[in-house]
């Protein structure tokens, strides 16, 4: 037990544990990724489980690495539909380092699922400021705009998303819904057909 505790506190292991967490996330082992991210966070923070109150002692590189692990844990929680937990982790990732478009986009996705449409629009807009080709941000912002009744904005954002990545059934579905509400019927049929071709299980 003493050896195990000593290993947990050995910050030299943090990089290896973080790599293991990334591999599990990519392999869709979300529970395993969460567990390994939690361990990496403890190692990077000197044994502290939750958010650190003071990050001023960390270098920019340390903050970037810490942010990446918080973000990956948030993404794993998103995949498990734990939207509140995901948002907490992604918020902490952004507190550590704010220049990653993908983290802002993931935060926007979590807020969208929690019906915080203003938060989604703000986070996705920040993501797009950092990276105008962030398809996740265009997609989430398009869906938020559709929910707010902004059909023109929803169509514009969804078209941007599919221009970048044409294999997103959900974005084609959002685009189809916005086009239908805007009575652009021919384009709606094309978008809906693309959505169903990519994912026949869409309702």
């Amino acid at each position: 037990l003493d050896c195990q505790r000593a290993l947990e506190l050995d910050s030299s292991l943090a990089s290896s544990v973080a790599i293991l967490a990334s591999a599990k996330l990519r392999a869709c082992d979300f529970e395993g990724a969460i567990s390994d991210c939690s361990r990496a966070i403890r190692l990077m923070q000197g044994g502290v489980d939750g958010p650190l109150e003071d990050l001023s002692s960390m270098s920019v590189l340390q903050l970037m690495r810490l942010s990446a692990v918080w973000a990956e844990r948030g993404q794993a929680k998103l995949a498990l539909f734990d939207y509140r937990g995901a948002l907490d982790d992604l918020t902490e990732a952004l507190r550590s380092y704010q220049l990653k478009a993908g983290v802002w986009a993931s935060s926007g996705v979590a807020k969208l699922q929690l019906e915080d449409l203003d938060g989604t629009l703000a986070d996705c807009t920040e993501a797009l400021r950092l990276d105008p080709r962030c398809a996740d941000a265009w997609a989430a912002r398009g869906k938020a705009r559709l929910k707010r009744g902004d059909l023109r904005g929803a169509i514009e954002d969804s078209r941007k998303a599919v221009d970048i990545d044409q294999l997103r059934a959900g974005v084609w579905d959002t685009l189809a819904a916005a086009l239908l509400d805007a009575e652009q019927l021919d384009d709606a049929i094309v978008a809906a057909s693309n959505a169903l071709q990519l994912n026949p299980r869409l309702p």
Side-chain angles (χ1 to χ4, degrees):
L1 185 59
D2 289 341
C3 290
Q4 183 178 359
R5 187 174 296 112
L7 287 172
E8 286 287 322
L9 295 173
D10 185 353
S11 61
S12 66
L13 290 176
S15 178
S16 296
V17 177
I19 290 169
L20 185 60
S22 293
K24 289 182 178 178
L25 181 62
R26 293 179 190 181
C28 298
D29 176 6
F30 303 121
E31 295 284 2
I34 290 170
S35 176
D36 286 339
C37 284
S38 298
R39 186 180 178 208
I41 289 167
R42 285 196 301 273
L43 290 166
M44 291 177 176
Q45 297 186 159
V48 177
D49 277 314
L52 289 176
E53 290 186 14
D54 184 8
L55 299 172
S56 61
S57 64
M58 290 190 172
S59 68
V60 172
L61 182 58
Q62 287 174 320
L63 289 171
M64 289 173 65
R65 289 174 175 167
L66 180 61
S67 174
V69 179
W70 279 110
E72 290 200 330
R73 196 172 81 170
Q75 288 161 4
K77 290 180 178 180
L78 268 180
L80 294 173
F81 312 109
D82 176 9
Y83 302 122
R84 177 56 59 190
L87 182 57
D88 288 344
D89 285 355
L90 293 163
T91 299
E92 188 58 26
L94 290 169
R95 190 172 78 92
S96 302
Y97 188 73
Q98 298 184 356
L99 299 180
K100 295 287 285 185
V103 182
W104 282 106
S106 294
S107 178
V109 170
K111 289 178 180 179
L112 179 64
Q113 295 296 334
L114 294 167
E115 298 295 331
D116 177 5
L117 301 184
D118 288 340
T120 298
L121 294 172
D123 286 359
C124 290
T125 298
E126 179 62 18
L128 293 168
R129 185 186 69 80
L130 294 168
D131 179 8
R133 290 192 58 79
C134 182
D136 288 338
W138 287 115
R141 198 173 77 169
K143 196 161 189 177
R145 285 181 161 174
L146 178 61
K147 288 187 172 215
R148 294 186 70 168
D150 176 7
L151 300 182
R152 181 176 177 180
I155 291 168
E156 289 176 354
D157 285 358
S158 298
R159 284 197 189 281
K160 285 278 192 180
V162 295
D163 283 346
I164 296 166
D165 183 357
Q166 296 183 3
L167 300 180
R168 294 168 173 260
V171 183
W172 282 110
D173 189 56
T174 299
L175 178 58
L179 289 166
L180 181 64
D181 287 349
E183 298 189 1
Q184 298 180 34
L185 302 184
D186 290 342
D187 288 344
I189 290 169
V190 172
S193 298
N194 287 337
L196 289 169
Q197 185 175 359
L198 290 166
N199 184 3
R201 293 177 295 175
L202 279 172

